[in-house]
Amino acid sequence: MPSPRPPALEAEDAQQGRLPATETARARELAAWLDWVNDWARLMQLPPCDEASPARKRRGHTPLALIFSPHPDDECIVGALPLRLRRESHWRVCNVAVTLGSNQARRQPRWQELRQACELLDFETLQLADGGLEQVRPDTPIAQPLLWQSHVDKAAALLRREQPALVLLPHEGDGIATHMGVHRLALDALQAAGYNGLVAQTEYWAPQSGANLMVESSRQDLARLVQALSRHVGEVARNPYHLRLPAWMADNVRRGGEMIAGAGTAPPAFGFATLYRLTRWLAGREQDDLPPRMAGAAERLSLA
């Protein structure tokens, strides 16, 4: 089995969730995580060649992807698509910290951990309110309509100001109340803002039935996501999401290969992937799903 902690992560700074002091130290840490991911790949008998698509220079307008994250750490777990857009096509990526969790004593530390994780991914990050929003749950629109409307107004104002080309949000049945609440909040805000663009629904706590996009992560990208996820020290001490991320992404290939290509078909020769449901929106209304697609790590990802 892969070692549970790469050697470079034994340093005190990494254990405390602090970024290594130099770029060289960060690169050594990333290399250790890459060795660890390669151990997974060998166990899965994956081909030795696994190259990420090279970046290309972008001319003109830089598109923006906004991630509506229910909690700090979700930006890493569902981050395969935005990370590739950032790395391959120089998109801006901004993580919207909708909440900082229910434990008030942990909110400021979680905000700092989130900033460190996003720095490793080269994502921007912001809050809709100082300390995050309260009561982002599916029942809040009925139980506390004024509070809910205030939340929707904040999110809609952000959408109008930033004009993202892509918005990522949890799917409706993503298992945890805050995830399902963020789904409802983001949809209400998209409608209120008259949004034009693409929406990618994400999954983690429960699978979604309508996934139509499978995005492969190269081993290098997976190592970076695990490295960033390890910065959420309080969360991974409670539940080591980062150490389980390769297994989850490998299982996504099993499910997505047949869900997207069709039952009984052979899955693609991907090692690790993340599933999304990609839809087109016009004037604040969902229009249609995009055609099914499986985006390999060696191809340059484009959402044109």
Side-chain angles (χ1 to χ4, degrees), residues 37-62:
V37 170
N38 282 329
D39 286 344
W40 277 98
R42 282 188 287 271
L43 284 173
M44 296 167 60
Q45 301 180 9
L46 296 176
C49 181
D50 177 55
E51 297 295 332
S53 174
R56 62 177 177 135
K57 292 183 179 179
R58 171 167 288 280
R59 296 183 177 89
H61 175 67
T62 301

mmCIF file with all atom_site columns, all heavy atoms in Angstrom, residues 37-62:
data_model
loop_
_atom_site.group_PDB
_atom_site.id
_atom_site.type_symbol
_atom_site.label_atom_id
_atom_site.label_alt_id
_atom_site.label_comp_id
_atom_site.label_asym_id
_atom_site.label_entity_id
_atom_site.label_seq_id
_atom_site.pdbx_PDB_ins_code
_atom_site.Cartn_x
_atom_site.Cartn_y
_atom_site.Cartn_z
_atom_site.occupancy
_atom_site.B_iso_or_equiv
_atom_site.pdbx_formal_charge
_atom_site.auth_seq_id
_atom_site.auth_comp_id
_atom_site.auth_asym_id
_atom_site.auth_atom_id
_atom_site.pdbx_PDB_model_num
ATOM 1   N N   . VAL A 1 37 ? 1.548   9.308  -5.072  1.00 0.00 ? 37 VAL A N   1
ATOM 2   C CA  . VAL A 1 37 ? 0.522   9.047  -6.084  1.00 0.00 ? 37 VAL A CA  1
ATOM 3   C C   . VAL A 1 37 ? 1.010   7.988  -7.065  1.00 0.00 ? 37 VAL A C   1
ATOM 4   O O   . VAL A 1 37 ? 0.230   7.112  -7.496  1.00 0.00 ? 37 VAL A O   1
ATOM 5   C CB  . VAL A 1 37 ? 0.143   10.352 -6.814  1.00 0.00 ? 37 VAL A CB  1
ATOM 6   C CG1 . VAL A 1 37 ? -0.727  10.052 -8.036  1.00 0.00 ? 37 VAL A CG1 1
ATOM 7   C CG2 . VAL A 1 37 ? -0.600  11.298 -5.870  1.00 0.00 ? 37 VAL A CG2 1
ATOM 8   N N   . ASN A 1 38 ? 2.272   8.013  -7.427  1.00 0.00 ? 38 ASN A N   1
ATOM 9   C CA  . ASN A 1 38 ? 2.812   6.995  -8.333  1.00 0.00 ? 38 ASN A CA  1
ATOM 10  C C   . ASN A 1 38 ? 2.742   5.602  -7.716  1.00 0.00 ? 38 ASN A C   1
ATOM 11  O O   . ASN A 1 38 ? 2.598   4.602  -8.439  1.00 0.00 ? 38 ASN A O   1
ATOM 12  C CB  . ASN A 1 38 ? 4.254   7.339  -8.723  1.00 0.00 ? 38 ASN A CB  1
ATOM 13  C CG  . ASN A 1 38 ? 4.321   8.422  -9.780  1.00 0.00 ? 38 ASN A CG  1
ATOM 14  O OD1 . ASN A 1 38 ? 3.428   8.536  -10.618 1.00 0.00 ? 38 ASN A OD1 1
ATOM 15  N ND2 . ASN A 1 38 ? 5.374   9.218  -9.750  1.00 0.00 ? 38 ASN A ND2 1
ATOM 16  N N   . ASP A 1 39 ? 2.846   5.509  -6.383  1.00 0.00 ? 39 ASP A N   1
ATOM 17  C CA  . ASP A 1 39 ? 2.649   4.215  -5.723  1.00 0.00 ? 39 ASP A CA  1
ATOM 18  C C   . ASP A 1 39 ? 1.228   3.704  -5.980  1.00 0.00 ? 39 ASP A C   1
ATOM 19  O O   . ASP A 1 39 ? 1.020   2.515  -6.241  1.00 0.00 ? 39 ASP A O   1
ATOM 20  C CB  . ASP A 1 39 ? 2.897   4.334  -4.214  1.00 0.00 ? 39 ASP A CB  1
ATOM 21  C CG  . ASP A 1 39 ? 4.372   4.448  -3.868  1.00 0.00 ? 39 ASP A CG  1
ATOM 22  O OD1 . ASP A 1 39 ? 5.210   4.131  -4.730  1.00 0.00 ? 39 ASP A OD1 1
ATOM 23  O OD2 . ASP A 1 39 ? 4.677   4.865  -2.732  1.00 0.00 ? 39 ASP A OD2 1
ATOM 24  N N   . TRP A 1 40 ? 0.240   4.593  -5.889  1.00 0.00 ? 40 TRP A N   1
ATOM 25  C CA  . TRP A 1 40 ? -1.139  4.213  -6.212  1.00 0.00 ? 40 TRP A CA  1
ATOM 26  C C   . TRP A 1 40 ? -1.223  3.721  -7.657  1.00 0.00 ? 40 TRP A C   1
ATOM 27  O O   . TRP A 1 40 ? -1.862  2.706  -7.944  1.00 0.00 ? 40 TRP A O   1
ATOM 28  C CB  . TRP A 1 40 ? -2.068  5.415  -6.027  1.00 0.00 ? 40 TRP A CB  1
ATOM 29  C CG  . TRP A 1 40 ? -2.532  5.648  -4.633  1.00 0.00 ? 40 TRP A CG  1
ATOM 30  C CD1 . TRP A 1 40 ? -2.004  6.535  -3.731  1.00 0.00 ? 40 TRP A CD1 1
ATOM 31  C CD2 . TRP A 1 40 ? -3.618  4.998  -3.959  1.00 0.00 ? 40 TRP A CD2 1
ATOM 32  N NE1 . TRP A 1 40 ? -2.696  6.476  -2.548  1.00 0.00 ? 40 TRP A NE1 1
ATOM 33  C CE2 . TRP A 1 40 ? -3.694  5.549  -2.656  1.00 0.00 ? 40 TRP A CE2 1
ATOM 34  C CE3 . TRP A 1 40 ? -4.530  4.016  -4.343  1.00 0.00 ? 40 TRP A CE3 1
ATOM 35  C CZ2 . TRP A 1 40 ? -4.656  5.145  -1.735  1.00 0.00 ? 40 TRP A CZ2 1
ATOM 36  C CZ3 . TRP A 1 40 ? -5.488  3.619  -3.421  1.00 0.00 ? 40 TRP A CZ3 1
ATOM 37  C CH2 . TRP A 1 40 ? -5.537  4.172  -2.136  1.00 0.00 ? 40 TRP A CH2 1
ATOM 38  N N   . ALA A 1 41 ? -0.588  4.456  -8.555  1.00 0.00 ? 41 ALA A N   1
ATOM 39  C CA  . ALA A 1 41 ? -0.656  4.097  -9.973  1.00 0.00 ? 41 ALA A CA  1
ATOM 40  C C   . ALA A 1 41 ? -0.052  2.717  -10.225 1.00 0.00 ? 41 ALA A C   1
ATOM 41  O O   . ALA A 1 41 ? -0.577  1.935  -11.026 1.00 0.00 ? 41 ALA A O   1
ATOM 42  C CB  . ALA A 1 41 ? 0.054   5.163  -10.809 1.00 0.00 ? 41 ALA A CB  1
ATOM 43  N N   . ARG A 1 42 ? 1.040   2.400  -9.543  1.00 0.00 ? 42 ARG A N   1
ATOM 44  C CA  . ARG A 1 42 ? 1.654   1.080  -9.725  1.00 0.00 ? 42 ARG A CA  1
ATOM 45  C C   . ARG A 1 42 ? 0.746   -0.021 -9.199  1.00 0.00 ? 42 ARG A C   1
ATOM 46  O O   . ARG A 1 42 ? 0.611   -1.078 -9.824  1.00 0.00 ? 42 ARG A O   1
ATOM 47  C CB  . ARG A 1 42 ? 3.018   1.047  -9.027  1.00 0.00 ? 42 ARG A CB  1
ATOM 48  C CG  . ARG A 1 42 ? 4.121   1.749  -9.806  1.00 0.00 ? 42 ARG A CG  1
ATOM 49  C CD  . ARG A 1 42 ? 5.485   1.519  -9.192  1.00 0.00 ? 42 ARG A CD  1
ATOM 50  N NE  . ARG A 1 42 ? 5.649   2.286  -7.957  1.00 0.00 ? 42 ARG A NE  1
ATOM 51  C CZ  . ARG A 1 42 ? 6.129   3.527  -7.934  1.00 0.00 ? 42 ARG A CZ  1
ATOM 52  N NH1 . ARG A 1 42 ? 6.473   4.147  -9.041  1.00 0.00 ? 42 ARG A NH1 1
ATOM 53  N NH2 . ARG A 1 42 ? 6.264   4.158  -6.782  1.00 0.00 ? 42 ARG A NH2 1
ATOM 54  N N   . LEU A 1 43 ? 0.096   0.236  -8.046  1.00 0.00 ? 43 LEU A N   1
ATOM 55  C CA  . LEU A 1 43 ? -0.843  -0.761 -7.518  1.00 0.00 ? 43 LEU A CA  1
ATOM 56  C C   . LEU A 1 43 ? -1.999  -1.008 -8.482  1.00 0.00 ? 43 LEU A C   1
ATOM 57  O O   . LEU A 1 43 ? -2.506  -2.128 -8.582  1.00 0.00 ? 43 LEU A O   1
ATOM 58  C CB  . LEU A 1 43 ? -1.389  -0.299 -6.170  1.00 0.00 ? 43 LEU A CB  1
ATOM 59  C CG  . LEU A 1 43 ? -0.466  -0.427 -4.958  1.00 0.00 ? 43 LEU A CG  1
ATOM 60  C CD1 . LEU A 1 43 ? -1.108  0.230  -3.740  1.00 0.00 ? 43 LEU A CD1 1
ATOM 61  C CD2 . LEU A 1 43 ? -0.162  -1.888 -4.657  1.00 0.00 ? 43 LEU A CD2 1
ATOM 62  N N   . MET A 1 44 ? -2.419  0.033  -9.185  1.00 0.00 ? 44 MET A N   1
ATOM 63  C CA  . MET A 1 44 ? -3.526  -0.079 -10.136 1.00 0.00 ? 44 MET A CA  1
ATOM 64  C C   . MET A 1 44 ? -3.067  -0.569 -11.500 1.00 0.00 ? 44 MET A C   1
ATOM 65  O O   . MET A 1 44 ? -3.879  -0.684 -12.419 1.00 0.00 ? 44 MET A O   1
ATOM 66  C CB  . MET A 1 44 ? -4.226  1.280  -10.268 1.00 0.00 ? 44 MET A CB  1
ATOM 67  C CG  . MET A 1 44 ? -4.887  1.751  -8.978  1.00 0.00 ? 44 MET A CG  1
ATOM 68  S SD  . MET A 1 44 ? -5.359  3.506  -9.051  1.00 0.00 ? 44 MET A SD  1
ATOM 69  C CE  . MET A 1 44 ? -6.492  3.479  -10.456 1.00 0.00 ? 44 MET A CE  1
ATOM 70  N N   . GLN A 1 45 ? -1.768  -0.825 -11.657 1.00 0.00 ? 45 GLN A N   1
ATOM 71  C CA  . GLN A 1 45 ? -1.195  -1.312 -12.909 1.00 0.00 ? 45 GLN A CA  1
ATOM 72  C C   . GLN A 1 45 ? -1.480  -0.355 -14.066 1.00 0.00 ? 45 GLN A C   1
ATOM 73  O O   . GLN A 1 45 ? -1.788  -0.772 -15.192 1.00 0.00 ? 45 GLN A O   1
ATOM 74  C CB  . GLN A 1 45 ? -1.690  -2.728 -13.227 1.00 0.00 ? 45 GLN A CB  1
ATOM 75  C CG  . GLN A 1 45 ? -1.346  -3.741 -12.143 1.00 0.00 ? 45 GLN A CG  1
ATOM 76  C CD  . GLN A 1 45 ? -1.841  -5.141 -12.458 1.00 0.00 ? 45 GLN A CD  1
ATOM 77  O OE1 . GLN A 1 45 ? -2.307  -5.426 -13.548 1.00 0.00 ? 45 GLN A OE1 1
ATOM 78  N NE2 . GLN A 1 45 ? -1.729  -6.033 -11.485 1.00 0.00 ? 45 GLN A NE2 1
ATOM 79  N N   . LEU A 1 46 ? -1.356  0.945  -13.791 1.00 0.00 ? 46 LEU A N   1
ATOM 80  C CA  . LEU A 1 46 ? -1.553  1.936  -14.833 1.00 0.00 ? 46 LEU A CA  1
ATOM 81  C C   . LEU A 1 46 ? -0.311  2.021  -15.708 1.00 0.00 ? 46 LEU A C   1
ATOM 82  O O   . LEU A 1 46 ? 0.796   1.733  -15.251 1.00 0.00 ? 46 LEU A O   1
ATOM 83  C CB  . LEU A 1 46 ? -1.835  3.308  -14.205 1.00 0.00 ? 46 LEU A CB  1
ATOM 84  C CG  . LEU A 1 46 ? -3.115  3.409  -13.381 1.00 0.00 ? 46 LEU A CG  1
ATOM 85  C CD1 . LEU A 1 46 ? -3.208  4.791  -12.742 1.00 0.00 ? 46 LEU A CD1 1
ATOM 86  C CD2 . LEU A 1 46 ? -4.346  3.141  -14.234 1.00 0.00 ? 46 LEU A CD2 1
ATOM 87  N N   . PRO A 1 47 ? -0.466  2.410  -16.957 1.00 0.00 ? 47 PRO A N   1
ATOM 88  C CA  . PRO A 1 47 ? 0.711   2.573  -17.827 1.00 0.00 ? 47 PRO A CA  1
ATOM 89  C C   . PRO A 1 47 ? 1.666   3.594  -17.230 1.00 0.00 ? 47 PRO A C   1
ATOM 90  O O   . PRO A 1 47 ? 1.251   4.531  -16.533 1.00 0.00 ? 47 PRO A O   1
ATOM 91  C CB  . PRO A 1 47 ? 0.103   3.083  -19.144 1.00 0.00 ? 47 PRO A CB  1
ATOM 92  C CG  . PRO A 1 47 ? -1.327  2.698  -19.087 1.00 0.00 ? 47 PRO A CG  1
ATOM 93  C CD  . PRO A 1 47 ? -1.723  2.699  -17.655 1.00 0.00 ? 47 PRO A CD  1
ATOM 94  N N   . PRO A 1 48 ? 2.962   3.454  -17.491 1.00 0.00 ? 48 PRO A N   1
ATOM 95  C CA  . PRO A 1 48 ? 3.937   4.364  -16.880 1.00 0.00 ? 48 PRO A CA  1
ATOM 96  C C   . PRO A 1 48 ? 3.825   5.792  -17.366 1.00 0.00 ? 48 PRO A C   1
ATOM 97  O O   . PRO A 1 48 ? 4.147   6.725  -16.645 1.00 0.00 ? 48 PRO A O   1
ATOM 98  C CB  . PRO A 1 48 ? 5.291   3.749  -17.265 1.00 0.00 ? 48 PRO A CB  1
ATOM 99  C CG  . PRO A 1 48 ? 5.008   2.917  -18.474 1.00 0.00 ? 48 PRO A CG  1
ATOM 100 C CD  . PRO A 1 48 ? 3.612   2.395  -18.298 1.00 0.00 ? 48 PRO A CD  1
ATOM 101 N N   . CYS A 1 49 ? 3.367   6.002  -18.599 1.00 0.00 ? 49 CYS A N   1
ATOM 102 C CA  . CYS A 1 49 ? 3.300   7.356  -19.147 1.00 0.00 ? 49 CYS A CA  1
ATOM 103 C C   . CYS A 1 49 ? 2.050   8.055  -18.646 1.00 0.00 ? 49 CYS A C   1
ATOM 104 O O   . CYS A 1 49 ? 0.938   7.556  -18.788 1.00 0.00 ? 49 CYS A O   1
ATOM 105 C CB  . CYS A 1 49 ? 3.302   7.321  -20.679 1.00 0.00 ? 49 CYS A CB  1
ATOM 106 S SG  . CYS A 1 49 ? 3.243   8.958  -21.428 1.00 0.00 ? 49 CYS A SG  1
ATOM 107 N N   . ASP A 1 50 ? 2.229   9.219  -18.050 1.00 0.00 ? 50 ASP A N   1
ATOM 108 C CA  . ASP A 1 50 ? 1.088   9.986  -17.545 1.00 0.00 ? 50 ASP A CA  1
ATOM 109 C C   . ASP A 1 50 ? 1.485   11.450 -17.573 1.00 0.00 ? 50 ASP A C   1
ATOM 110 O O   . ASP A 1 50 ? 1.966   11.994 -16.597 1.00 0.00 ? 50 ASP A O   1
ATOM 111 C CB  . ASP A 1 50 ? 0.727   9.551  -16.132 1.00 0.00 ? 50 ASP A CB  1
ATOM 112 C CG  . ASP A 1 50 ? -0.405  10.381 -15.547 1.00 0.00 ? 50 ASP A CG  1
ATOM 113 O OD1 . ASP A 1 50 ? -1.469  10.450 -16.172 1.00 0.00 ? 50 ASP A OD1 1
ATOM 114 O OD2 . ASP A 1 50 ? -0.209  10.954 -14.475 1.00 0.00 ? 50 ASP A OD2 1
ATOM 115 N N   . GLU A 1 51 ? 1.321   12.085 -18.719 1.00 0.00 ? 51 GLU A N   1
ATOM 116 C CA  . GLU A 1 51 ? 1.764   13.459 -18.884 1.00 0.00 ? 51 GLU A CA  1
ATOM 117 C C   . GLU A 1 51 ? 0.559   14.399 -18.899 1.00 0.00 ? 51 GLU A C   1
ATOM 118 O O   . GLU A 1 51 ? -0.433  14.150 -19.578 1.00 0.00 ? 51 GLU A O   1
ATOM 119 C CB  . GLU A 1 51 ? 2.552   13.613 -20.189 1.00 0.00 ? 51 GLU A CB  1
ATOM 120 C CG  . GLU A 1 51 ? 3.831   12.790 -20.230 1.00 0.00 ? 51 GLU A CG  1
ATOM 121 C CD  . GLU A 1 51 ? 4.841   13.247 -19.193 1.00 0.00 ? 51 GLU A CD  1
ATOM 122 O OE1 . GLU A 1 51 ? 4.821   14.437 -18.830 1.00 0.00 ? 51 GLU A OE1 1
ATOM 123 O OE2 . GLU A 1 51 ? 5.649   12.420 -18.748 1.00 0.00 ? 51 GLU A OE2 1
ATOM 124 N N   . ALA A 1 52 ? 0.685   15.497 -18.157 1.00 0.00 ? 52 ALA A N   1
ATOM 125 C CA  . ALA A 1 52 ? -0.348  16.520 -18.188 1.00 0.00 ? 52 ALA A CA  1
ATOM 126 C C   . ALA A 1 52 ? -0.217  17.344 -19.458 1.00 0.00 ? 52 ALA A C   1
ATOM 127 O O   . ALA A 1 52 ? 0.872   17.509 -20.010 1.00 0.00 ? 52 ALA A O   1
ATOM 128 C CB  . ALA A 1 52 ? -0.211  17.429 -16.969 1.00 0.00 ? 52 ALA A CB  1
ATOM 129 N N   . SER A 1 53 ? -1.345  17.863 -19.936 1.00 0.00 ? 53 SER A N   1
ATOM 130 C CA  . SER A 1 53 ? -1.309  18.728 -21.108 1.00 0.00 ? 53 SER A CA  1
ATOM 131 C C   . SER A 1 53 ? -0.522  19.983 -20.793 1.00 0.00 ? 53 SER A C   1
ATOM 132 O O   . SER A 1 53 ? -0.659  20.556 -19.711 1.00 0.00 ? 53 SER A O   1
ATOM 133 C CB  . SER A 1 53 ? -2.737  19.102 -21.507 1.00 0.00 ? 53 SER A CB  1
ATOM 134 O OG  . SER A 1 53 ? -2.738  20.043 -22.554 1.00 0.00 ? 53 SER A OG  1
ATOM 135 N N   . PRO A 1 54 ? 0.325   20.445 -21.705 1.00 0.00 ? 54 PRO A N   1
ATOM 136 C CA  . PRO A 1 54 ? 1.104   21.664 -21.443 1.00 0.00 ? 54 PRO A CA  1
ATOM 137 C C   . PRO A 1 54 ? 0.215   22.899 -21.430 1.00 0.00 ? 54 PRO A C   1
ATOM 138 O O   . PRO A 1 54 ? -0.852  22.932 -22.053 1.00 0.00 ? 54 PRO A O   1
ATOM 139 C CB  . PRO A 1 54 ? 2.086   21.703 -22.615 1.00 0.00 ? 54 PRO A CB  1
ATOM 140 C CG  . PRO A 1 54 ? 1.404   20.950 -23.711 1.00 0.00 ? 54 PRO A CG  1
ATOM 141 C CD  . PRO A 1 54 ? 0.618   19.866 -23.029 1.00 0.00 ? 54 PRO A CD  1
ATOM 142 N N   . ALA A 1 55 ? 0.674   23.903 -20.713 1.00 0.00 ? 55 ALA A N   1
ATOM 143 C CA  . ALA A 1 55 ? -0.058  25.164 -20.676 1.00 0.00 ? 55 ALA A CA  1
ATOM 144 C C   . ALA A 1 55 ? 0.129   25.893 -22.002 1.00 0.00 ? 55 ALA A C   1
ATOM 145 O O   . ALA A 1 55 ? 1.070   25.654 -22.738 1.00 0.00 ? 55 ALA A O   1
ATOM 146 C CB  . ALA A 1 55 ? 0.447   26.014 -19.522 1.00 0.00 ? 55 ALA A CB  1
ATOM 147 N N   . ARG A 1 56 ? -0.785  26.796 -22.277 1.00 0.00 ? 56 ARG A N   1
ATOM 148 C CA  . ARG A 1 56 ? -0.648  27.636 -23.465 1.00 0.00 ? 56 ARG A CA  1
ATOM 149 C C   . ARG A 1 56 ? -0.901  29.077 -23.064 1.00 0.00 ? 56 ARG A C   1
ATOM 150 O O   . ARG A 1 56 ? -1.595  29.358 -22.088 1.00 0.00 ? 56 ARG A O   1
ATOM 151 C CB  . ARG A 1 56 ? -1.651  27.231 -24.551 1.00 0.00 ? 56 ARG A CB  1
ATOM 152 C CG  . ARG A 1 56 ? -3.094  27.393 -24.143 1.00 0.00 ? 56 ARG A CG  1
ATOM 153 C CD  . ARG A 1 56 ? -4.027  27.040 -25.286 1.00 0.00 ? 56 ARG A CD  1
ATOM 154 N NE  . ARG A 1 56 ? -5.412  27.134 -24.850 1.00 0.00 ? 56 ARG A NE  1
ATOM 155 C CZ  . ARG A 1 56 ? -6.378  27.732 -25.557 1.00 0.00 ? 56 ARG A CZ  1
ATOM 156 N NH1 . ARG A 1 56 ? -6.102  28.308 -26.688 1.00 0.00 ? 56 ARG A NH1 1
ATOM 157 N NH2 . ARG A 1 56 ? -7.613  27.754 -25.120 1.00 0.00 ? 56 ARG A NH2 1
ATOM 158 N N   . LYS A 1 57 ? -0.327  29.984 -23.809 1.00 0.00 ? 57 LYS A N   1
ATOM 159 C CA  . LYS A 1 57 ? -0.537  31.392 -23.528 1.00 0.00 ? 57 LYS A CA  1
ATOM 160 C C   . LYS A 1 57 ? -1.940  31.794 -23.958 1.00 0.00 ? 57 LYS A C   1
ATOM 161 O O   . LYS A 1 57 ? -2.459  31.325 -24.953 1.00 0.00 ? 57 LYS A O   1
ATOM 162 C CB  . LYS A 1 57 ? 0.497   32.240 -24.276 1.00 0.00 ? 57 LYS A CB  1
ATOM 163 C CG  . LYS A 1 57 ? 1.924   32.048 -23.763 1.00 0.00 ? 57 LYS A CG  1
ATOM 164 C CD  . LYS A 1 57 ? 2.882   32.971 -24.491 1.00 0.00 ? 57 LYS A CD  1
ATOM 165 C CE  . LYS A 1 57 ? 4.293   32.791 -23.945 1.00 0.00 ? 57 LYS A CE  1
ATOM 166 N NZ  . LYS A 1 57 ? 5.267   33.672 -24.653 1.00 0.00 ? 57 LYS A NZ  1
ATOM 167 N N   . ARG A 1 58 ? -2.554  32.645 -23.152 1.00 0.00 ? 58 ARG A N   1
ATOM 168 C CA  . ARG A 1 58 ? -3.896  33.122 -23.472 1.00 0.00 ? 58 ARG A CA  1
ATOM 169 C C   . ARG A 1 58 ? -3.812  34.573 -23.910 1.00 0.00 ? 58 ARG A C   1
ATOM 170 O O   . ARG A 1 58 ? -3.137  35.385 -23.284 1.00 0.00 ? 58 ARG A O   1
ATOM 171 C CB  . ARG A 1 58 ? -4.815  32.987 -22.256 1.00 0.00 ? 58 ARG A CB  1
ATOM 172 C CG  . ARG A 1 58 ? -6.175  33.663 -22.445 1.00 0.00 ? 58 ARG A CG  1
ATOM 173 C CD  . ARG A 1 58 ? -7.163  33.270 -21.388 1.00 0.00 ? 58 ARG A CD  1
ATOM 174 N NE  . ARG A 1 58 ? -7.606  31.907 -21.569 1.00 0.00 ? 58 ARG A NE  1
ATOM 175 C CZ  . ARG A 1 58 ? -8.536  31.538 -22.437 1.00 0.00 ? 58 ARG A CZ  1
ATOM 176 N NH1 . ARG A 1 58 ? -9.113  32.434 -23.220 1.00 0.00 ? 58 ARG A NH1 1
ATOM 177 N NH2 . ARG A 1 58 ? -8.891  30.282 -22.547 1.00 0.00 ? 58 ARG A NH2 1
ATOM 178 N N   . ARG A 1 59 ? -4.535  34.879 -24.968 1.00 0.00 ? 59 ARG A N   1
ATOM 179 C CA  . ARG A 1 59 ? -4.605  36.250 -25.454 1.00 0.00 ? 59 ARG A CA  1
ATOM 180 C C   . ARG A 1 59 ? -6.005  36.785 -25.201 1.00 0.00 ? 59 ARG A C   1
ATOM 181 O O   . ARG A 1 59 ? -6.980  36.065 -25.290 1.00 0.00 ? 59 ARG A O   1
ATOM 182 C CB  . ARG A 1 59 ? -4.287  36.309 -26.954 1.00 0.00 ? 59 ARG A CB  1
ATOM 183 C CG  . ARG A 1 59 ? -2.865  35.885 -27.301 1.00 0.00 ? 59 ARG A CG  1
ATOM 184 C CD  . ARG A 1 59 ? -2.612  36.033 -28.802 1.00 0.00 ? 59 ARG A CD  1
ATOM 185 N NE  . ARG A 1 59 ? -1.245  35.703 -29.152 1.00 0.00 ? 59 ARG A NE  1
ATOM 186 C CZ  . ARG A 1 59 ? -0.838  34.484 -29.461 1.00 0.00 ? 59 ARG A CZ  1
ATOM 187 N NH1 . ARG A 1 59 ? -1.705  33.480 -29.459 1.00 0.00 ? 59 ARG A NH1 1
ATOM 188 N NH2 . ARG A 1 59 ? 0.421   34.269 -29.772 1.00 0.00 ? 59 ARG A NH2 1
ATOM 189 N N   . GLY A 1 60 ? -6.077  38.069 -24.895 1.00 0.00 ? 60 GLY A N   1
ATOM 190 C CA  . GLY A 1 60 ? -7.368  38.703 -24.728 1.00 0.00 ? 60 GLY A CA  1
ATOM 191 C C   . GLY A 1 60 ? -7.989  38.427 -23.370 1.00 0.00 ? 60 GLY A C   1
ATOM 192 O O   . GLY A 1 60 ? -7.309  38.249 -22.359 1.00 0.00 ? 60 GLY A O   1
ATOM 193 N N   . HIS A 1 61 ? -9.308  38.362 -23.340 1.00 0.00 ? 61 HIS A N   1
ATOM 194 C CA  . HIS A 1 61 ? -10.067 38.235 -22.095 1.00 0.00 ? 61 HIS A CA  1
ATOM 195 C C   . HIS A 1 61 ? -9.737  36.939 -21.361 1.00 0.00 ? 61 HIS A C   1
ATOM 196 O O   . HIS A 1 61 ? -9.626  35.881 -21.979 1.00 0.00 ? 61 HIS A O   1
ATOM 197 C CB  . HIS A 1 61 ? -11.564 38.287 -22.403 1.00 0.00 ? 61 HIS A CB  1
ATOM 198 C CG  . HIS A 1 61 ? -12.435 38.038 -21.219 1.00 0.00 ? 61 HIS A CG  1
ATOM 199 N ND1 . HIS A 1 61 ? -12.524 38.908 -20.153 1.00 0.00 ? 61 HIS A ND1 1
ATOM 200 C CD2 . HIS A 1 61 ? -13.240 36.981 -20.910 1.00 0.00 ? 61 HIS A CD2 1
ATOM 201 C CE1 . HIS A 1 61 ? -13.357 38.410 -19.251 1.00 0.00 ? 61 HIS A CE1 1
ATOM 202 N NE2 . HIS A 1 61 ? -13.804 37.250 -19.689 1.00 0.00 ? 61 HIS A NE2 1
ATOM 203 N N   . THR A 1 62 ? -9.571  37.041 -20.061 1.00 0.00 ? 62 THR A N   1
ATOM 204 C CA  . THR A 1 62 ? -9.298  35.863 -19.227 1.00 0.00 ? 62 THR A CA  1
ATOM 205 C C   . THR A 1 62 ? -10.589 35.412 -18.563 1.00 0.00 ? 62 THR A C   1
ATOM 206 O O   . THR A 1 62 ? -11.144 36.136 -17.730 1.00 0.00 ? 62 THR A O   1
ATOM 207 C CB  . THR A 1 62 ? -8.250  36.189 -18.148 1.00 0.00 ? 62 THR A CB  1
ATOM 208 O OG1 . THR A 1 62 ? -7.050  36.618 -18.773 1.00 0.00 ? 62 THR A OG1 1
ATOM 209 C CG2 . THR A 1 62 ? -7.971  34.965 -17.291 1.00 0.00 ? 62 THR A CG2 1
#
